[in-house]
Amino acid sequence: MKEFSKFFLIGNMKMNPMNQEEMVMYEKSLKEELQNVSLHQAKRLVEIALAPPFFYIKSLSQSVLGLVSIGSQDVSSYQKGSYTGDISASMVYSEGASFSLVGHSERRKYHKEENEDIARKVRNILDFGMRVVLCVGESREDHAMHKTDEVIKKQLQECLFGVKENEASHVYIVYEPVWAVGSDETPTSSEIHSVKKGIQGVLMELFQEKGKEMKILYGGSVHVHNLLETCITPGMDGALVGRSSLDPKEFFGIVSQAKVL
Ligand code: PGA
């Protein structure tokens, strides 16, 4: 972790909770957890963030105002117009989002998102003054063929095309191997550290000195028992957590770990 820089812990809630009733229970439990942790201490060291489905952004950002940063899981690659089903960066911003995930492997896989679509989303997020949380990572095949660095370099170059040096500090990168998402498998600490170094090298090529300061997180099967080896030991600046963020009790277990480490 960089000096004086908070650990950025993001819960990716994906398509949960399932309905309004479940959301009410989730919020209740979240508020209990927020009272439980010695939040002042945690907040000095950890930025706690959640990315709920669009539909819950407003209510969640109002109920945890000032305690948890709320973001979106995605935005449209278009700014406005006739795009049925799309939700724009402007909309999520006005609902209370302060960041947006982009390029998650599930979006790439199930919605066929390409790096150039992601680059347009990055632009839209930055134009609305939000932070970008860009996910990159290799497939299982690429991993087996030792192509991780090569694949990630291309993703970074293409997804960050057009981002200016003075915008770099608003962009966070998540190293999220596709094969580690939802699987209970993770790379070793030294693999994660080495990929982080590779990412840093590309960011410095793209943004010179500003690239050095950019935060690099890890995501993929992070839970309370492996936070140390997946994030802390490799020197990551934060974590993107899926399944273990769905139960506030479990998620705040990770918050407590991150604040003592
Ligand atoms: P997981 O998901 O923690 O359940 O593996 C991570 C993610 O999809 O961001």
Side-chain angles (χ1 to χ4, degrees):
M1 205 189 325
K2 291 184 186 79
E3 235 183 324
F4 305 122
S5 129
K6 287 187 188 184
F7 189 84
F8 192 23
L9 179 63
I10 311 171
N12 176 9
M13 295 167 65
K14 308 199 182 186
M15 207 163 70
N16 300 286
M18 284 290 284
N19 52 43
Q20 202 60 52
E21 219 169 38
E22 283 186 16
M23 186 59 188
V24 169
M25 280 156 56
Y26 173 87
E27 275 194 47
K28 187 170 172 276
S29 152
L30 180 64
K31 283 184 181 158
E32 280 166 16
E33 288 306 316
L34 285 168
Q35 279 166 0
N36 275 347
V37 282
S38 44
L39 208 64
H40 289 297
Q41 197 199 349
K43 274 191 66 196
R44 272 194 297 122
L45 304 169
V46 186
E47 177 179 354
I48 309 164
L50 286 169
F54 295 119
F55 190 65
Y56 303 123
I57 289 178
K58 190 170 197 158
S59 67
L60 208 51
S61 58
Q62 286 170 351
S63 65
V64 296
L65 199 66
L67 300 174
V68 177
S69 307
I70 299 298
S72 167
Q73 293 172 18
D74 187 38
V75 294
S76 173
S77 58
Y78 302 100
Q79 286 212 341
K80 59 178 180 174
S82 305
Y83 301 102
T84 304
D86 272 20
I87 296 186
S88 69
S90 157
M91 291 170 186
V92 298
Y93 176 69
S94 72
E95 295 287 290
S98 65
F99 68 92
S100 180
L101 305 183
V102 72
H104 190 280
S105 58
E106 287 158 5
R107 301 291 314 170
R108 294 178 192 258
K109 180 175 171 193
Y110 300 119
H111 299 271
K112 307 280 174 278
E113 285 187 8
E114 300 291 343
N115 292 340
E116 64 175 22
D117 305 312
I118 296 165
R120 302 223 305 265
K121 294 178 182 214
V122 167
R123 178 81 266 142
N124 293 345
I125 297 164
L126 289 172
D127 282 351
F128 279 91
M130 292 183 285
R131 293 172 290 172
V132 169
V133 179
L134 170 65
C135 304
V136 295
E138 82 286 6
S139 65
R140 190 178 292 281
E141 297 71 43
D142 292 332
H143 184 75
M145 288 162 69
H146 305 287
K147 283 188 171 172
T148 301
D149 288 342
E150 187 189 320
V151 167
I152 291 179
K153 182 172 187 169
K154 187 169 183 316
Q155 289 174 337
L156 290 170
Q157 286 172 332
E158 295 183 0
C159 296
L160 297 178
F161 183 77
V163 174
K164 300 177 199 76
E165 244 174 84
N166 66 0
E167 295 172 316
S169 62
H170 282 79
V171 179
Y172 299 65
I173 308 298
V174 189
Y175 169 45
E176 197 164 66
V178 180
W179 52 274
V181 174
S183 71
D184 290 329
E185 286 175 84
T186 59
T188 63
S189 301
S190 66
E191 277 178 303
I192 297 173
H193 179 73
S194 138
V195 174
K196 182 192 176 183
K197 288 283 154 210
I199 292 176
Q200 226 159 24
V202 180
L203 295 176
M204 285 178 69
E205 275 171 32
L206 294 174
F207 305 111
Q208 287 73 43
E209 278 304 296
K210 301 272 182 207
K212 217 184 198 167
E213 298 305 314
M214 290 169 71
K215 287 194 175 192
I216 305 171
L217 289 60
Y218 171 79
S221 293
V222 175
H223 51 72
V224 70
H225 301 297
N226 69 8
L227 185 75
L228 183 68
E229 57 262 36
T230 56
C231 298
I232 309 297
T233 307
M236 306 310 277
D237 300 304
L240 180 61
V241 182
R243 284 157 296 165
S244 291
S245 72
L246 300 182
D247 173 2
K249 215 176 175 58
E250 201 177 332
F251 187 57
F252 275 79
I254 302 179
V255 172
S256 313
Q257 275 273 324
K259 85 169 195 258
V260 292
L261 289 164

